Amino acid sequence: MQIKPLPATSSAPPGAAPDWTVAQDWKGYTREEHATWDLLFDRQAAMLPGRVTPAFLKGLEVLRLSRRGIPDFAELSQRLHALTGWSVVAVPGLVPEAVFFEHLAQRRFVAGRFIRRADQLDYLQEPDVFHDVFGHVPLLADPVFADYMQAYGEGGLRSLRLGALDKLARLYWYTVEFGLIREGGALRLYGAGIVSSYGESVYALDDPSPHRIGFDLRRVMRTRYRIDDYQQNYFVIDSFEDLLHQTRDADFAPLYAQLESLADIESGTMVPGDAVITLGTQAHARARSGLH
Ligand code: PHE
Ligand code: CO
């Protein structure tokens, strides 16, 4: 799931509950839809060992996500709930931020129920069930990451009251969606937007183009991101514990106030003080924009 502005006043669509949830209707999936899941699953499961944080692989295993077909949310939630108190609920598509944050704060992860068409395996605009479940749910079985996501939901509600959602949304983007972690000296993937993408799973770790920069909370909250292509910079955390402590245990109100007077940092630019892990060539972004 991603954070994208929707009119705050919009109420749940017809057929959805007031909290925007709908039934997954697992029995309604076609054979082709289950086959699309299997194809995406097999492709990522073959590539990720050695590239993704072991906590993610452990999550796949303890949640038995390798069983064939699109997971049944009710059954998945039962397993997940027993481990960390989280559950997975279905929504018709993107939901307003306040609704999304409220669910996270209650340890409910909202997931799209639809799956991409077989001719859209590599690119889609709205998060589908593969991105949401394969990408996000395994780490919700990790107790520390599970606490981070709940705290993020509470922080999200607070950011709305403080008028600072744009800053906090960048933290989600550069951790939950596109985060890297350094473990035993090696970089590994953990962001859901990366691990659910065939192309970006390789690019984020191996391509010489993007900058890879040590995580710094203020830096991240000042940095713009792109939604139309691979990222031009990734931020690397040292551990989920460290991420949790730097975010949950800090009061963001004074930080938001300071950031108000600081300029945004464009994607793909380095700034003084950056803990450079790899200085990217930015060749990918340059080629895409037609400049050489
Ligand atoms: N501590 C943050 C605040 O004071 C909330 C937060 C927690 C944000 C965890 C992100 C992640 O608003
Ligand atoms: Co997502």
Side-chain angles (χ1 to χ4, degrees):
M1 200 40 67
Q2 263 122 39
I3 301 174
K4 208 171 170 183
L6 279 181
T9 51
S10 51
S11 55
D19 70 357
W20 287 64
T21 58
V22 293
Q24 184 195 9
D25 186 23
W26 185 80
K27 290 207 164 71
Y29 290 118
T30 65
R31 253 202 301 166
E32 288 72 27
E33 288 175 321
H34 285 301
T36 298
W37 170 281
D38 288 343
L39 204 130
L40 290 164
F41 184 95
D42 292 344
R43 211 163 67 152
Q44 290 311 98
M47 183 202 332
L48 289 175
R51 314 183 73 83
V52 75
T53 176
F56 179 91
L57 297 174
K58 188 172 169 209
L60 284 183
E61 191 188 307
V62 295
L63 297 172
R64 311 232 182 109
L65 280 166
S66 64
R67 293 196 314 184
R68 305 280 74 190
I70 299 169
D72 180 340
F73 293 180
E75 204 188 309
L76 177 61
S77 293
Q78 236 173 35
R79 276 205 185 86
L80 182 60
H81 196 269
L83 292 163
T84 57
W86 274 80
S87 51
V88 179
V89 292
V91 287
L94 289 169
V95 301
E97 291 106 0
V99 173
F100 177 61
F101 293 145
E102 187 61 46
H103 281 294
L104 291 183
Q106 304 293 328
R107 292 196 171 235
R108 284 191 299 266
F109 192 76
V110 298
R113 63 164 307 284
F114 79 100
I115 191 151
R116 65 196 77 182
R117 295 198 318 260
D119 62 344
Q120 306 174 308
L121 292 188
D122 294 311
Y123 182 80
L124 75 167
Q125 290 255 329
E126 284 212 0
D128 72 343
V129 64
F130 186 74
H131 167 80
D132 280 335
V133 173
F134 182 89
H136 285 283
V137 175
L139 283 183
L140 294 174
D142 180 275
V144 179
F145 196 84
D147 286 352
Y148 174 64
M149 289 293 279
Q150 178 190 354
Y152 186 91
E154 290 163 357
L157 292 169
R158 187 165 185 232
S159 79
L160 289 174
R161 293 192 295 270
L162 296 171
L165 173 69
D166 53 332
K167 307 286 184 302
L168 194 70
R170 291 170 177 165
L171 176 63
Y172 188 87
W173 190 265
Y174 284 119
T175 60
V176 178
E177 294 292 352
F178 291 97
L180 300 181
I181 184 167
R182 194 160 35 179
E183 291 172 317
L187 296 188
R188 299 266 189 262
L189 313 171
Y190 76 89
I194 309 178
V195 303
S196 62
S197 158
Y198 188 63
E200 198 151 357
S201 294
V202 174
Y203 170 91
L205 274 194
D206 297 342
D207 199 278
S209 296
H211 301 314
R212 299 177 184 87
I213 306 164
F215 179 85
D216 177 276
L217 184 59
R218 285 158 199 269
R219 200 320 183 171
V220 164
M221 293 206 289
R222 288 179 61 196
T223 309
R224 294 169 166 271
Y225 56 83
R226 47 192 314 165
I227 58 168
D228 58 334
D229 199 351
Y230 298 155
Q231 300 304 302
Q232 291 177 255
N233 25 247
Y234 296 96
F235 293 93
V236 182
I237 60 168
D238 286 323
S239 65
F240 293 143
E241 282 84 1
D242 186 48
L243 175 63
L244 179 65
H245 292 132
Q246 283 200 54
T247 53
R248 187 186 57 188
D249 305 342
D251 179 1
F252 280 24
L255 208 53
Y256 293 146
Q258 283 171 16
L259 294 175
E260 215 32 59
S261 58
L262 291 175
D264 287 350
I265 301 169
E266 293 303 322
S267 259
T269 16
M270 304 291 297
V271 297
D274 278 348
V276 185
I277 295 171
T278 47
L279 183 61
T281 61
Q282 297 298 324
H284 176 84
R286 256 201 317 277
R288 284 299 173 98
S289 66
L291 305 167
H292 291 282

